[in-house]
Amino acid sequence: MRTQVAIIGSGPAGLLLGQLLHLYGIDNLILERKDRDYVLARIRAGVLEQGTVDMLDEAGVADRLHKEGLVHGGVELSFSGQRHRIDMKTATGGKTVTVYGQTEVTRDLMDARDAEGLTTIYDAADVSLHDFDGDRPRVRYTRNGVSHDITCDFIAGCDGFHGVSRQSVPADTLATFERAYPFGWLGILSDTPPVSPELIYTSHPRGFALCSMRSPMRSRYYVQCALDDRVDNWPDAKFWDELKRRVDPEAADHLVTGPSIEKSIAPLRSFVAEPMRFGRLFLAGDAAHIVPPTGAKGLNLAASDVRYLSLALREFYADGSHAGIDDYSRRALARVWKAERFSWWMTSMLHRFPDSDGFGGRIQLAELNYLVGSQAATTAMAENYVGLPF
Ligand code: RFL
Ligand code: PHB
C-alpha cells in the first residue's frame, strides 16, 4: 500500500489532520489500534476554543456543532462559599468558547471521513514505524494475523500519550519535561440538567470540583480524588454527596442528581516532548504533550498542532517548500508551552495539595481574590481560556 501521509491514531488529532489534508488534495490513511465504537465511547474533553471551532468549520464538519454546541461567554469561579463570574467575552473583546463533547467532534469527523470514502484501518495491531530519517518512511501493522506494509512520504504520530510514535524515536534525540500531580479527577456523566448555565470551577478545602455539561439535559461533574482511588469506591450517592459539600450553597441547593451513565478516574499530568519532528515523522496532540484538564486545553492543543502541520504539508505539496515543515516543531511548541503554563497555573490555584500547609492555602486564596478583583488578572485568565492566537 502507498499513501502520501500515514496517520497513526484516530483521535481528534488524527481525524482532523486527515480531513484537512484531504481538502488540500493530499492522500492519507489512518491506522487505529482500537475499533470505531471503542474510540467513540471514550468520554473526555468538552470545551472548544474559537480557533478549534474555526478549524472544524474549515474541515466542513461543524454543522451539528453549530446546531447543538453551547456557546459560553463566561465561566464561574467558586471559593469561600461564593461564586464569581469571569466575563470572558467582555474581557477579550467578544471571544467565546463552545461546549461540545469530544465524542461528538470525533463522530462528526468519522462520519465525514466515511462520506468521502477515506481509508481508516481499525484494529491495526503491532503498528511500527520505519526509515523516517530518510525519504521513504514505512509503516507496518498486522490485522487479523496478516502483516501489511505502507510506504509514504510522511508519518503523522497522532496516537496519544501511550502511542507507538513517540516511542519509536531514539531516546537520545528526545527531551521530555514532566510533572505528575498528587491527585486525580473522578468524573461522572448523567442525564440531568446542568446545575448552572455556565461552568463552575470550585476550590474547596475538601478539594477541587467542576460542574460542566454536554447539553441542556446532560451534565458532566468532576471531583478531585486521591491518585490511588478507584471508581468502585464511589457509588453515585457518595459522589453527589461529595460534590454538594464542595460547591457553593446555591449550587448545592439546585443540583439535580440522577444515575451516572459513565464514571471514570483520570490522573493529572503535565508532559512535553521536544522536538515534535524527527525527519519525516511529526508528533501531534497527546502523542507530544499532556496537560492537566483544569484549563480545558488538551483537545484544543491537538487541534492547533494539526493546524500548523496541515499548513506545512500543504505548502510542501503545493510549492515543494520545506519552510513550514522545518518550522513545525518550533511553532507548535511555542503555543504548547503557553497552554502548559496556563493549565499548570489553573491546577495549582484550584486544587488541594496533600502536602500544602496553611501558607500554601492562603496564597491560593489570595490568588483567587486577586483574579476576580483585578480587571488585568481577569483579562489574562480570559484570553488564555478562550485560546491564544495561533
Ligand atoms: P487521543 O484522543 O488519545 O487519540 C489517540 C488515538 O491513537 C490510538 N492509538 C494507536 N493507534 C495505532 N497504533 C498504536 N500503537 C496506537 N496507540 C494509540 C488510540 O487508540 C487513540 O484512538 O489523542 P489526540 O488525538 O491527540 O487527542 C487529544 C485529546 O484526546 C486529549 O488531549 C484530551 O481528551 C485530554 N483530556 C481532556 N482534555 C480536556 O480538555 N478536558 C477533559 O476533560 C479531558 N479529559 C482527557 C480527559 C484525556 C484522557 N486520557 C488521555 C486518558 C480524560 C482522559 C481519561
Ligand atoms: C468537561 O466538560 O469535560 C470539562 C470542561 C472543562 C474542563 C475540563 C473538562 O476544564
Side-chain angles (χ1 to χ4, degrees):
M1 234 184 305
R2 142 120 208 123
T3 188
Q4 288 177 305
V5 181
I7 300 171
I8 321 294
S10 74
L15 287 165
L16 183 55
L17 179 64
Q19 202 60 28
L20 291 170
L21 292 182
H22 173 68
L23 284 178
Y24 303 156
I26 302 167
D27 182 51
N28 65 86
L29 63 77
I30 297 182
L31 283 175
E32 166 60 49
R33 180 169 59 175
K34 304 286 188 182
D35 63 48
R36 193 181 201 272
D37 291 341
Y38 181 97
V39 173
L40 280 172
R42 292 188 294 222
I43 307 294
R44 289 183 178 175
V47 177
L48 308 183
E49 296 173 356
Q50 186 58 50
T52 304
V53 172
D54 293 345
M55 284 183 66
L56 293 166
D57 263 324
E58 190 196 341
V61 296
D63 285 355
R64 201 162 63 94
L65 187 162
H66 289 302
K67 268 191 224 115
E68 297 175 16
L70 307 170
V71 176
H72 285 197
V75 291
E76 300 208 271
L77 291 176
S78 157
F79 56 95
S80 309
Q82 284 198 321
R83 256 196 259 169
H84 308 260
R85 183 168 189 265
I86 302 285
D87 185 342
M88 299 182 304
K89 192 168 177 181
T90 303
T92 59
K95 293 191 181 152
T96 56
V97 294
T98 301
V99 173
Y100 189 67
Q102 179 169 331
T103 40
E104 308 312 311
V105 173
T106 307
R107 185 184 298 281
D108 294 343
L109 283 162
M110 283 179 169
D111 288 349
R113 199 168 170 84
D114 290 348
E116 297 286 337
L118 308 180
T119 309
T120 304
I121 300 162
Y122 291 102
D123 297 309
D126 308 321
V127 171
S128 60
L129 285 54
H130 307 272
D131 303 335
F132 50 81
D133 50 351
D135 284 347
R136 288 185 187 285
R138 282 177 310 115
V139 180
R140 271 202 207 130
Y141 69 98
T142 43
R143 191 159 193 283
N144 298 328
V146 182
S147 90
H148 302 267
D149 218 58
I150 300 168
T151 55
C152 55
D153 300 332
F154 298 99
I155 304 172
C158 303
D159 48 353
F161 182 67
H162 300 288
V164 65
S165 299
R166 192 181 68 253
Q167 288 166 25
S168 307
V169 174
D172 60 354
T173 59
L174 197 72
T176 59
F177 304 87
E178 186 161 17
R179 175 141 316 171
Y181 301 89
F183 40 72
W185 278 18
L186 167 67
I188 73 164
L189 198 62
S190 69
D191 280 330
T192 52
V195 66
S196 177
E198 294 180 334
L199 272 63
I200 310 172
Y201 289 83
T202 300
S203 166
H204 188 273
R206 294 181 66 85
F208 170 82
L210 171 61
C211 304
S212 182
M213 67 198 70
R214 290 291 175 272
S215 75
M217 255 320 288
R218 182 166 284 186
S219 300
R220 179 78 167 152
Y221 296 106
Y222 298 95
V223 294
Q224 174 184 348
C225 65
L227 255 189
D228 58 358
D229 216 335
R230 293 178 31 222
V231 168
D232 303 345
N233 295 337
W234 288 91
D236 290 355
K238 184 174 165 192
F239 180 92
W240 293 119
D241 186 49
E242 185 61 37
L243 182 64
K244 279 187 182 171
R245 293 174 80 161
R246 296 187 190 185
V247 297
D248 62 279
E250 196 204 325
D253 278 352
H254 285 90
L255 188 70
V256 181
T257 63
S260 64
I261 52 175
E262 195 264 357
K263 196 185 283 167
S264 52
I265 291 182
L268 269 65
R269 186 199 305 269
S270 299
F271 174 87
V272 182
E274 297 182 353
M276 290 170 59
R277 176 215 177 178
F278 308 87
R280 286 183 171 243
L281 166 65
F282 303 95
L283 301 179
D286 279 16
H289 41 73
I290 296 285
V291 286
T294 328
K297 290 284 165 256
L299 171 58
N300 293 298
L301 270 189
S304 71
D305 290 352
V306 164
R307 181 186 152 86
Y308 297 131
L309 182 54
S310 58
L311 293 176
L313 290 169
R314 181 168 75 170
E315 198 179 299
F316 174 85
Y317 283 107
D319 320 327
S321 162
H322 285 70
I325 287 172
D326 289 344
D327 207 25
Y328 166 67
S329 178
R330 187 199 62 78
R331 285 180 84 191
L333 282 167
R335 196 167 188 282
V336 164
W337 273 112
K338 288 182 190 149
E340 289 283 345
R341 185 207 66 83
F342 179 66
S343 305
W344 162 84
W345 172 73
M346 287 280 283
T347 304
S348 309
M349 177 173 67
L350 290 167
H351 290 75
R352 191 193 144 84
F353 285 73
D355 59 353
S356 176
D357 52 9
F359 183 82
R362 287 292 194 277
I363 290 289
Q364 284 177 317
L365 211 52
E367 177 113 49
L368 284 162
N369 275 310
Y370 173 60
L371 176 54
V372 300
S374 153
Q375 192 52 55
T378 296
T379 303
M381 179 195 158
E383 70 177 358
N384 279 277
Y385 196 87
V386 300
L388 295 173
F390 288 129

